[in-house]
Amino acid sequence: MIDQYDSKQISLVVPFFNERDAIPGFFKSVVPVLESIEAATFEIVCVNDGSNDGTLEKLLEISRRDARVRVIDLTRNFGKEAALTAGIDEALGDAVIPIDADLQDPPSLIPVLVARWREGAEVVLAQRASRSCDSFLKRTAALAYYRVHNYLSELKLPENVGDFRLMDRVVVNALKQLPERRRFMKGLFAWVGYRTVIVPYEREARNAGHSKFSGWRLWNLALEGITSFSTLPLRVWTYLGFLIASIAFWYGIFIIARTIVLGVEVPGYASLLSVLLFFGGVQLIGIGVVGEYVGRIYYEAKGRPIYLVRRRYQERRQTGQFAAGKRVVNLASVRRVSQER
Ligand code: UDP
Ligand code: MG
């Protein structure tokens, strides 16, 4: 009996966007791993992020057979960050582990994460030991991104760490307090802090389907990361402005002096034009950067919810173990977050 009180619940949070083909393999490999963890119950919180390939039906089929599998159906595709937020909000466990549906985050690592958590870590990060399964371009871009981000931002992102990690309940509650609607989860995870331990792992190639992150989407994610955690791109224009203005000032003095000494000189229209075009470009870049931030302020100011839930599916009969009371409280706590990635 005492065992039951001691036993902790572990929540796996999985976003699904058109993952029909990956679902059977995912549950086949994840459930035995979770069952092998001693003195712990578990739940799998599946968030259907507006899939249109029958993912929901597949998930419901599994949840009907296994009460530990819960399904949260969002009203449309809100993007991975929002889907993850939804899942983390719904999770009830003492530890929460976000994991991808495509088995790129190896389930075999879960017991290791749990072991480190039991040793006292509040956050256990799974860090990719290598990126050998990514293309050369993606690898280089990722490396460059971490460099740039960590240079620009006060908040340092640990390199090659994705969303796959274990978070204690206290960390999850802290995360829930962050009100921003534009969610850059990696950054938010890092921002909350807490005692953190790193576990390295090898990332596999996708087991089915294809990546939902095109180059353009990754670029936007990168912009989101930098603008969410650094204002340096905004401030740098002041210094650039000063620099250019002072150069222009001394150049002006030089021209006046030269005119006094050598008299009026007519040529120089080519250099004039090039300087004009150069500064036109610089100004446009500056305005663009300001626009990136203003656009984000605009989204935050509207205060729309991060996601909308169409329905929560859960087998009621067999869920005694999952504390129905706790769940009601969870439903009532209305969470709001952004619409777009
Ligand atoms: N995903 C999602 N909504 C989206 C895009 C992706 O819920 O709009 C989920 C997807 O189903 C998967 C996880 O996020 O479980 C990671 O996606 P993906 O494997 O495409 O990303 P990658 O591994 O290429 O970074
Ligand atoms: Mg993937």
Side-chain angles (χ1 to χ4, degrees), residues 19 80 100-105 138 203-206 210-213:
E19 300 283 6
K80 186 185 174 189
D100 284 358
D102 55 11
L103 290 181
Q104 281 194 291
D105 305 326
K138 196 168 174 180
R203 193 165 170 90
E204 312 285 329
R206 233 174 190 284
H210 57 87
S211 173
K212 314 294 183 299
F213 287 88

Side-chain angles (χ1 to χ4, degrees), residues 91-258:
L92 300 172
D94 302 294
V96 175
I97 306 177
I99 185 170
D100 284 358
D102 55 11
L103 290 181
Q104 281 194 291
D105 305 326
S108 55
L109 202 69
I110 294 173
V112 182
L113 300 182
V114 172
R116 304 308 296 269
W117 170 55
R118 285 181 168 157
E119 282 164 23
E122 289 159 324
V123 178
V124 189
L125 298 181
Q127 187 175 46
R128 298 168 66 166
S130 77
R131 285 187 164 254
S132 51
C133 73
D134 283 346
S135 68
F136 174 75
L137 198 71
K138 196 168 174 180
R139 242 180 4 235
T140 322
L143 185 72
Y145 173 68
Y146 283 110
R147 287 280 148 80
V148 172
H149 183 108
N150 288 345
Y151 181 72
L152 289 182
S153 164
E154 271 170 41
L155 179 87
K156 305 298 172 221
L157 285 183
E159 275 182 44
N160 293 332
V161 168
D163 298 325
F164 187 36
R165 62 186 59 220
L166 181 147
M167 291 175 287
D168 188 87
R169 177 46 52 188
V170 289
V171 182
V172 173
N173 289 343
L175 209 57
K176 284 185 176 185
Q177 287 174 27
L178 303 185
E180 52 239 86
R181 285 158 185 94
R182 308 276 313 198
R183 304 228 121 198
F184 180 64
M185 291 309 267
K186 268 184 210 206
L188 299 183
F189 286 151
W191 187 88
V192 294
Y194 287 98
R195 263 201 309 278
T196 303
V197 169
I198 294 181
V199 176
Y201 77 103
E202 280 299 331
R203 193 165 170 90
E204 312 285 329
R206 233 174 190 284
N207 79 328
H210 57 87
S211 173
K212 314 294 183 299
F213 287 88
S214 59
W216 179 243
R217 247 182 136 169
L218 282 174
W219 164 251
N220 281 319
L221 188 64
L223 273 190
E224 193 68 57
I226 288 174
T227 52
S228 294
F229 289 95
S230 169
T231 51
L232 194 65
L234 270 182
R235 287 178 293 132
V236 76
W237 298 100
T238 321
Y239 303 106
L240 200 67
F242 269 121
L243 184 74
I244 291 174
S246 57
I247 293 173
F249 176 76
W250 291 113
Y251 186 60
I253 294 213
F254 165 72
I255 288 179
I256 292 170
R258 199 177 55 177

Side-chain angles (χ1 to χ4, degrees), residues 44-101:
I44 303 180
V45 181
C46 306
V47 182
N48 176 37
D49 187 17
S51 307
N52 50 21
D53 69 342
T55 293
L56 179 66
E57 289 66 30
K58 271 242 147 85
L59 287 175
L60 290 179
E61 203 183 301
I62 292 172
S63 111
R64 242 172 264 131
R65 271 187 275 121
D66 189 341
R68 298 168 297 192
V69 178
R70 284 164 49 196
V71 181
I72 315 295
D73 187 26
L74 302 188
T75 55
R76 64 171 173 87
N77 179 254
F78 283 93
K80 186 185 174 189
E81 316 284 307
L84 211 54
T85 307
I88 290 172
D89 286 346
E90 299 283 334
L92 300 172
D94 302 294
V96 175
I97 306 177
I99 185 170
D100 284 358

